[in-house]
Amino acid sequence: MPVATPLDAAQRASAWRRLAEEDLDVLVVGGGVTGAGVALDAATRGLRVALVEQRDFASGTSSRSSKLFHGGVRYLEQLNFGLVREALQERELMLTRIAPHLVKPVSFLYPLSHPVWERPYVTAGLTLYDTMGGARSVPRTKQLTKGGVRRIAPGLKPSAHHGGLIYHDAQCDDARHTLTVVRTAAAYGATVLNSAKVTGLLHAGERVVGASVLDVETGQETEVRASVVVNCTGVWTDDIQRMAGGRGRFHVRASKGVHLVVARDRINSETGLILRTESSVLFCIPWNTHWIIGTTDTDWNLSRAHPSATAADIDYLLDQINGVLLTPLTRDDIQGVYAGLRPLLAGESEESSQLSREHAVARPQPGLISIAGGKYTTYRVMAADAVDAAREDLSAGVPDSVTEHIPLVGAEGYQALVNQLDTLSRRHDLPPWRITHLLDRYGSLAVDLFALIDEDRSLATPLPGAEEYLTVEVVHAARHEATIHLNDLLTRRTRISIETTDRGVEAAESAGRILADELGWDDDRTRSEIDHYLRRVEAEIDSQQMTEDERADAERAQATDIRTLAKG
């Protein structure tokens, strides 16, 4: 297993030099989970590959999902059996081989709303769901009587169900998983850079032969030569295709999905929930000491960088979940809200919730591959398909994909450390739940954080304003995880921005000072980073009071993206 090299300032400077000096086989544009997966797939085939992301890794859709690795129960009703089977196989790979430290089983209760016909119908569907993926490491579906539901989920209204079924899927922290895929790609030799924006594509006649790339942090620009450019930009797919001078073989439509985060004690249940809605399904997902409730599914044609949740979105989700709860949730119970954009393949006439989640790969012109659609769970398959399509622009003899056999960094040795939980707790003088927290975020890389704590006991101090996290995690993010801005830390390296009632305002002060020491910020830069984050939080809260997308987008735009301010 290769060593997970630090993504720090030295690595960034070295990566920028390599972009300018080396001819690549593959240049990947877009640092979400698909782009990260393509970089890993290409690197493990022995190709020279670089990954560039204009903002931060996972800063778009890949940090704003429902955080599930799942087959997609609702796709069974659409008769999309191929997608479900493929996704369930990927779920099993993640749980058992590729990312067992990051991807965990999670149970869901499906409450039955009809006393007669619904149970055999749902049982048939979930039984099929149990078997479609082949080998499985999660329990099979279990039947529950009305009393059984009351015991496992006493917070549900008795009138809201006629018994139910329990089934299992899997979940992960999407932003941390994406970053781990990036770090694994780097460990296998890929050059990876965030804050690196493609400003144009290079041509030799009709062939794409590379790209102009701007360092958003410094304003420096360079030309990157590559045999093939792979467009993994999600809702920005059409922009890159236009940059290439062509129309593209498909177009991408953005669908907004909003999620709420509430404290775990606000819903009395031992399991997650899946509820039918008029147009789709609603999940209530256990998330450490929280619940995630979502999602919406509406067209979005405004800012793709920072989609906004409206008061109407929030009210819709509260109405849906309160329809089954004994003690209704209110806005005061909401600790976090986030909105993301699904990159759906355009062209169909149905509502966005009915659009296919299958992906498409196209070679609109020589030297350019575009991939879009799909779902988070199938990122590895999407990546392999994209690199397979790129073979036409590469020299002969490119091997087949091997990523189904490649554990992500932190996976090797993880289970042994879990088995040593009590020993680790005594050795490092941390409660077992703290050890578990670190192991489930970093896997076997947690030993690096343990070593830092052993050297400096102050790093075991909980972070003020976000006590579930330790100071050492901020230090580690600065030294190893390509953290450039405070916003990167609070929204993606940790999930403080959606897990604390004040949206990370108190933690911003303490975390900002720690990052300043690690990254060499002066007082002005430190104050600027903290103030920007506070303005971002204020703008997001203000936008969530608006009832219409346009007004919410205008309010959110009041806080300028830190990366547009960074240059120079």
Side-chain angles (χ1 to χ4, degrees):
M1 179 69 190
V3 176
T5 54
L7 302 186
D8 56 11
Q11 176 272 336
R12 180 176 172 78
S14 173
W16 186 255
R17 286 194 300 272
R18 287 200 301 275
L19 281 186
E21 296 169 1
E22 297 180 6
D23 289 341
L24 300 171
D25 295 313
V26 179
L27 174 64
V28 185
V29 184
V33 73
T34 305
V38 170
L40 175 58
D41 189 281
T44 52
R45 298 195 200 203
L47 299 171
R48 295 165 300 172
V49 57
L51 167 67
V52 294
E53 160 58 43
Q54 65 177 340
R55 294 185 294 152
D56 187 26
F57 300 124
S59 58
T61 304
S62 295
S63 61
R64 308 179 194 185
S65 74
S66 295
K67 312 192 188 316
L68 294 175
F69 265 88
H70 64 143
V73 169
R74 71 185 176 98
Y75 304 124
L76 287 177
E77 285 195 307
Q78 298 175 11
L79 305 182
N80 201 336
F81 300 128
L83 175 63
V84 175
R85 180 181 296 107
E86 180 179 80
L88 289 174
Q89 290 169 346
E90 291 302 303
R91 183 193 72 182
E92 184 69 12
L93 269 178
M94 294 297 151
L95 284 167
T96 59
R97 181 187 305 164
I98 294 177
H101 54 314
L102 302 175
V103 181
K104 306 293 181 183
V106 60
S107 66
F108 288 101
L109 167 66
Y110 191 116
L112 298 170
S113 56
H114 192 278
V116 181
W117 64 267
E118 194 176 14
R119 187 179 293 275
Y121 176 74
V122 175
T123 297
L126 290 179
T127 300
L128 181 62
Y129 194 72
D130 281 345
T131 59
M132 287 185 76
R136 54 185 293 112
S137 55
V138 297
R140 294 187 177 275
T141 297
K142 179 182 177 181
Q143 302 282 342
L144 293 178
T145 63
K146 195 173 179 71
V149 169
R150 188 164 54 249
R151 283 189 294 274
I152 198 170
L156 295 190
K157 295 177 183 175
S159 60
H161 65 85
H162 296 273
L165 294 89
I166 289 280
Y167 77 97
H168 284 74
D169 256 316
Q171 68 176 169
C172 78
D173 181 333
D174 47 6
R176 176 141 296 277
H177 174 267
T178 298
L179 177 69
T180 306
V181 179
V182 171
R183 294 198 67 191
T184 308
Y188 281 98
T191 299
V192 300
L193 268 173
N194 52 355
S195 283
K197 180 180 181 178
V198 168
T199 57
L201 295 179
L202 307 179
H203 292 82
E206 294 299 310
R207 176 176 290 276
V208 174
V209 294
S212 297
V213 178
L214 170 73
D215 185 335
V216 177
E217 303 299 321
T218 67
Q220 185 179 355
E221 195 159 5
T222 192
E223 291 189 346
V224 182
R225 300 284 171 175
S227 298
V228 60
V229 174
V230 184
N231 175 11
C232 302
T233 55
V235 294
W236 284 271
T237 296
D238 291 0
D239 295 29
I240 299 295
Q241 292 183 154
R242 283 192 295 271
M243 197 180 284
R247 294 177 56 189
R249 300 287 173 80
F250 52 75
H251 298 286
V252 171
R253 177 169 144 194
S255 168
K256 183 178 71 169
V258 174
H259 296 79
L260 309 180
V261 183
V262 302
R264 193 67 174 266
D265 64 0
R266 300 306 301 137
I267 299 175
N268 189 3
S269 177
E270 298 174 18
T271 180
L273 304 172
I274 179 173
L275 307 172
R276 278 186 171 276
T277 67
E278 289 185 7
S279 59
S280 185
V281 296
L282 184 86
F283 284 103
C284 182
I285 305 162
W287 175 254
N288 299 318
T289 57
H290 311 274
W291 296 98
I292 293 175
I293 301 166
T295 180
T296 61
D297 212 339
T298 55
D299 278 339
W300 178 262
N301 298 301
L302 302 166
S303 169
R304 288 169 291 171
H306 302 291
S308 305
T310 65
D313 295 326
I314 294 169
D315 289 343
Y316 166 80
L317 292 173
L318 288 176
D319 287 346
Q320 293 294 324
I321 192 67
N322 284 340
V324 301
L325 295 182
L326 271 174
T327 305
L329 298 175
T330 70
R331 276 181 168 260
D332 290 340
D333 295 316
I334 297 173
Q335 293 182 305
V337 180
Y338 64 93
L341 299 177
R342 303 176 191 86
L344 302 181
L345 297 177
E348 294 93 336
S349 59
E350 298 92 344
E351 293 298 316
S352 60
S353 62
Q354 298 299 315
L355 292 179
S356 171
R357 298 306 301 275
E358 293 191 69
H359 63 274
V361 181
R363 184 174 177 262
Q365 60 200 87
L368 178 66
I369 300 295
S370 287
I371 180 163
K375 55 203 295 282
Y376 195 106
T377 305
T378 57
Y379 82 92
R380 193 195 64 81
V381 176
M382 295 170 64
D385 287 351
V387 179
D388 283 346
R391 281 170 154 161
E392 193 165 349
D393 294 298
L394 298 168
S395 57
V398 175
D400 291 339
S401 175
V402 295
T403 52
E404 67 177 295
H405 307 293
I406 305 294
L408 300 186
V409 292
E412 293 286 355
Y414 161 72
Q415 193 57 56
L417 292 173
V418 170
N419 293 343
Q420 298 169 10
L421 180 63
D422 291 339
T423 301
L424 292 171
S425 176
R426 291 191 299 271
R427 180 183 302 160
H428 303 292
D429 192 22
L430 291 170
W433 73 267
R434 290 277 190 199
I435 300 292
T436 299
H437 164 88
L438 294 173
L439 290 176
D440 288 351
R441 282 172 50 76
Y442 306 95
S444 56
L445 297 183
V447 298
D448 296 336
L449 286 83
F450 298 149
L452 289 173
I453 289 172
D454 292 343
E455 292 173 9
D456 181 357
R457 193 64 202 173
S458 70
L459 298 182
T461 305
L463 187 67
E467 285 75 14
E468 290 182 32
Y469 295 91
L470 297 178
T471 300
V472 70
E473 298 183 73
V474 182
V475 172
H476 181 81
R479 296 181 185 179
H480 293 268
E481 297 183 339
T483 302
I484 298 176
H485 295 286
L486 176 60
N487 191 46
D488 300 343
L489 176 89
L490 295 176
T491 59
R492 289 173 291 278
R493 304 303 181 271
T494 68
R495 310 320 295 269
I496 291 170
S497 66
I498 60 171
E499 292 177 340
T500 56
T501 303
D502 69 354
R503 315 287 174 97
V505 167
E506 182 183 350
E509 292 286 343
S510 50
R513 301 298 173 187
I514 298 167
L515 285 183
D517 290 341
E518 291 294 324
L519 301 178
W521 296 345
D522 61 20
D523 288 344
D524 288 345
R525 170 72 185 272
T526 305
R527 193 67 252 165
S528 174
E529 290 280 342
I530 295 171
D531 287 347
H532 171 271
Y533 183 78
L534 301 185
R535 286 196 302 273
R536 189 206 107 153
V537 169
E538 183 180 8
E540 286 192 345
I541 291 174
D542 288 345
S543 72
Q544 291 157 16
Q545 312 308 310
M546 303 296 108
T547 57
E548 299 171 351
D549 283 346
E550 290 77 10
R551 295 182 65 191
D553 182 64
E555 287 294 333
R556 178 60 182 84
Q558 296 299 311
T560 309
D561 192 314
I562 187 69
R563 281 176 162 79
T564 67
L565 300 173
K567 187 168 65 174

